[in-house]
């Protein structure tokens, strides 16, 4: 079985819509990811490639943060025709798991936040992480969330504060999508308020 | 299903463009995201915005419902349903609870929407400030600066002239305390249904090339004044002449022969469902 660019990508898109409109809702991309050809992956996970295939074309630009940034960029460019560019100009920033520590913060700081007239010209940041699960750690609030949601992200970066700083002037800001090694997807649009959920002792 | 066309009519590039705009719209509730708005086989202003959203979302397992001012059977609804099912082969339904995608012109169904549903509203005029500001670049600036005194002034003038707010439909709302948004010409009766809705609401304006969204559980407040609060249409003491429902949006019909006025549910599928529930007891 190979990936059907019409139906399988439609299914990925619907899961993106579900997860973005309900932050904290973790979507499972295992079924679609299993269909991605091994040879296309080249250093980037199948689920990240799925997102690129769903949203990228010649009209958008992207930037990859990884030890193998060049080869991954080349693969994505060849598959989607999207243009690799620098972080400050990119519509999509991809932080792979092998990226140097600090890459995510760097990406958040440099990413386009849009303008007050055109806040939609901001960047999406896709982040590969070890695991994304529902559970204690981060408390989410905001549109799309009934009261609160709890998520746990296995990630060794100080991104919550950087994101908060970047998104302080709503509607300017960045939208983030986390995807883990088991192809679980979490979306955190700029409207989501995150606080670290500390156990009261 | 007509296989001469792409699945869901569009080429994949067109879908991607609409999909990117839609995701940004969900991330910025109430903000109108410009999109390319493709030529469609129906005229602009006949639901092309809603149709493009529907086609970009729809998959093989979806069940589609299309309504036009509450009716599943009006020309516009039937033709849009035909186009979508011809190019996708998906099942269509009249029952609100069975649908996963509901495209609607000017009504939110009476049956409360659920989590697994997406409501797509067709929008003729997405800009709530257009009434008093003709320039698009000016209204974009007003939105950027959250300068909405004109919107309130518009309502104030109505009160000064007529004693109450006279917006019959499309009463402006404030979304997530940030953007004033046109809820599409739904009656005021439906405005409160947008507040903390369980379903995602997407709005598409094909002619004006804008998409915008109200995510689930988002604060949506109809604009009003402390001394002139927002009031939905009231159907107190009135009921549907067919199914007897109260507390729903009713159409006023006048029999020109007898000059008699009667009321009937605007949401036809809700009316039929209610009738079918009652009937077995009545017929026995």
């Amino acid at each position: 079985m190979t990936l059907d660019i019409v139906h399988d990508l439609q299914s990925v898109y619907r899961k993106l819509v579900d997860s973005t409109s309900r932050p904290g809702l973790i979507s499972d991309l295992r079924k679609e990811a299993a269909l991605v050809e091994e040879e296309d992956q080249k250093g980037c996970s199948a689920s990240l490639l799925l997102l690129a295939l769903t949203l990228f074309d010649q009209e958008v630009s992207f930037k990859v943060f990884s030890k193998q940034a060049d080869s991954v960029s080349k693969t994505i460019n060849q598959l989607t025709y999207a243009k690799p560019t620098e972080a400050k100009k990119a519509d999509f920033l991809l932080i792979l798991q092998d990226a140097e520590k600090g890459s995510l913060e760097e990406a958040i700081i440099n990413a386009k936040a849009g303008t007050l007239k055109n806040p939609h010209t901001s960047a999406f940041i896709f982040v590969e992480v070890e695991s994304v699960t529902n559970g204690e750690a981060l408390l989410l609030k905001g549109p799309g969330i009934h009261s609160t949601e709890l998520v746990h992200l296995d990630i060794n970066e100080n991104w919550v504060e950087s994101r908060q700083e970047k998104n302080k002037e709503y509607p300017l800001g960045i939208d983030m999508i986390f995807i883990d090694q088991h192809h679980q997807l979490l979306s955190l649009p700029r409207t989501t308020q995150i606080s670290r959920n500390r156990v009261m002792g | 299903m007509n296989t001469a066309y792409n699945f869901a009519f569009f080429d994949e590039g067109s879908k991607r463009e609409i999909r990117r705009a839609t995701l940004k719209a969900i991330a910025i509730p109430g903000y109108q995201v410009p999109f390319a708005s493709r030529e469609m086989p129906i005229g602009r202003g006949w639901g092309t915005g809603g149709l493009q959203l529907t086609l970009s979302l729809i998959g093989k397992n979806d069940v589609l419902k299309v309504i036009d001012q509450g009716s599943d059977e009006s020309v516009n609804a039937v033709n849009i349903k035909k186009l979508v099912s011809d190019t996708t082969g998906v099942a269509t339904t009249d029952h609100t609870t069975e649908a996963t995608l509901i495209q609607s012109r000017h009504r939110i169904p009476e049956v409360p929407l659920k989590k697994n549903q997406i409501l797509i509203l067709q929008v003729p005029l997405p800009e709530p400030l257009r009434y008093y500001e003709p320039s698009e670049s000016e209204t974009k600036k007003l939105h950027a600066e959250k300068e909405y005194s004109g919107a309130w002034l518009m309502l104030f003038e109505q009160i000064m002239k007529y004693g109450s707010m006279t917006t019959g439909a499309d009463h402006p709302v404030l979304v997530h305390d940030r953007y004033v948004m046109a809820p599409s010409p739904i009656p005021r009766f439906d405005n409160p249904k947008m507040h903390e809705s369980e379903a995602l609401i997407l709005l598409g304006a094909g002619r004006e090339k804008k998409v915008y969204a109200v995510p689930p559980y988002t604060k949506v407040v109809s604009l009003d004044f402390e001394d002139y609060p927002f009031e939905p249409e009231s159907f107190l003491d009135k009921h549907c002449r067919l199914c007897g429902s109260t507390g729903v949006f009713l159409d006023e019909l006048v029999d020109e022969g007898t000059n008699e006025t009667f009321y009937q549910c605007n949401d036809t599928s809700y009316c039929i469902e209610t009738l079918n529930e009652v009937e077995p007891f009545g017929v026995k």
Side-chain angles (χ1 to χ4, degrees), chain A residues 12 15-16 39 44 46 70 72 103 126 129 133 157 160 175 183:
Chain A
V12 173
K15 286 173 184 174
L16 259 175
E39 59 177 300
C44 122
D70 287 344
V72 176
S103 295
F126 295 162
V129 293
T133 46
E157 294 238 28
V160 176
D175 306 306
H183 311 298

Side-chain angles (χ1 to χ4, degrees), chain A residues 5 7 10 13-14 17 21-22 54-57 59 116-120 122 143-144 146 170-171 175 191, chain B residues 7 12 16 19-20 22 24 27 29 31 34 57-59 62 115 140 144 176 178-179 198 200 216-218:
Chain A
I5 60 151
H7 300 292
Q10 181 273 338
Y13 170 62
R14 278 293 279 278
V17 168
S21 58
R22 298 169 199 279
T54 308
L55 298 172
F56 290 13
D57 55 26
E59 292 173 24
L116 282 169
K117 262 191 174 180
N118 291 303
H120 66 281
S122 52
H146 190 28
Y170 180 79
D175 306 306
T191 48
Chain B
F7 178 83
E12 292 307 299
R16 268 194 298 270
R19 286 171 179 175
R20 287 195 298 262
T22 309
K24 281 295 172 200
Y31 169 72
L57 287 161
I58 204 161
D62 276 311
K115 222 177 162 179
K140 271 191 96 73
H176 187 46
R178 178 60 181 83
Y179 284 104
E198 265 195 51
L200 166 67
Y217 309 116
T218 300

Side-chain angles (χ1 to χ4, degrees), chain B residues 36-265:
Chain B
S37 193
R38 265 46 181 184
E39 286 286 337
M40 299 304 293
I42 58 170
R44 290 221 163 122
W46 287 78
T48 50
L51 182 60
Q52 291 180 71
L53 282 173
T54 302
L55 293 173
S56 74
L57 287 161
I58 204 161
K60 282 186 284 191
N61 301 324
D62 276 311
V63 181
L64 177 74
K65 174 182 163 83
V66 183
I67 43 173
D68 178 358
Q69 291 209 304
S71 169
D72 291 273
E73 284 155 21
S74 79
V75 179
N76 197 225
V78 170
N79 282 323
I80 289 175
K81 238 183 299 197
K82 265 192 196 160
L83 174 70
V84 179
S85 76
D86 270 0
T87 56
T88 59
V90 302
T92 58
T93 182
D94 288 353
H95 299 287
T96 305
T97 44
E98 286 172 10
T100 55
L101 291 178
I102 303 170
Q103 182 177 334
S104 168
R105 173 177 174 266
H106 308 183
R107 266 320 298 279
I108 297 178
E110 299 293 352
V111 181
L113 299 177
K114 292 192 309 270
K115 222 177 162 179
N116 61 346
Q117 299 179 311
I118 300 177
L119 176 68
I120 299 141
L121 288 169
Q122 302 170 196
V123 187
L125 298 168
E127 183 49 74
L129 315 180
R130 185 66 72 234
Y131 174 76
Y132 63 90
E133 179 48 69
S135 155
E136 170 72 8
S137 81
E138 281 301 313
T139 50
K140 271 191 96 73
K141 198 160 101 191
L142 294 174
H143 281 295
E145 292 169 355
K146 204 183 173 188
E147 169 45 58
Y148 291 131
S149 39
W152 265 279
L153 199 59
M154 186 171 76
L155 298 173
F156 175 73
E157 280 181 358
Q158 291 172 357
I159 293 169
M160 292 313 287
K161 272 190 190 160
Y162 308 108
S164 69
M165 292 186 276
T166 54
T167 48
D170 215 351
H171 187 97
V173 292
L174 183 66
V175 181
H176 187 46
D177 293 324
R178 178 60 181 83
Y179 284 104
V180 166
M181 179 189 97
S184 86
I186 54 173
R188 276 173 296 162
F189 184 86
D190 285 344
N191 274 20
K193 294 180 192 167
M194 282 194 160
H195 176 64
E196 303 272 327
S197 153
E198 265 195 51
L200 166 67
I201 303 172
L202 296 173
L203 301 99
R207 188 182 48 202
E208 305 287 324
K209 306 183 177 181
K210 295 283 172 67
V211 290
Y212 51 110
V214 178
Y217 309 116
T218 300
K219 190 176 165 193
V220 177
V221 184
S222 303
L223 299 191
D224 65 353
F225 299 95
E226 256 174 40
D227 50 345
Y228 280 86
F230 169 79
E231 276 173 7
E233 292 85 351
S234 162
F235 299 100
L236 205 66
D237 306 330
K238 298 185 178 76
H239 59 86
C240 172
R241 67 161 174 161
L242 298 175
C243 70
S245 290
T246 54
V248 295
F249 191 79
L250 298 170
D251 284 336
E252 188 183 75
L253 304 164
V254 180
D255 185 327
E256 286 182 3
T258 61
N259 244 351
E260 198 188 343
T261 305
F262 46 85
Y263 295 87
Q264 199 173 308
C265 287

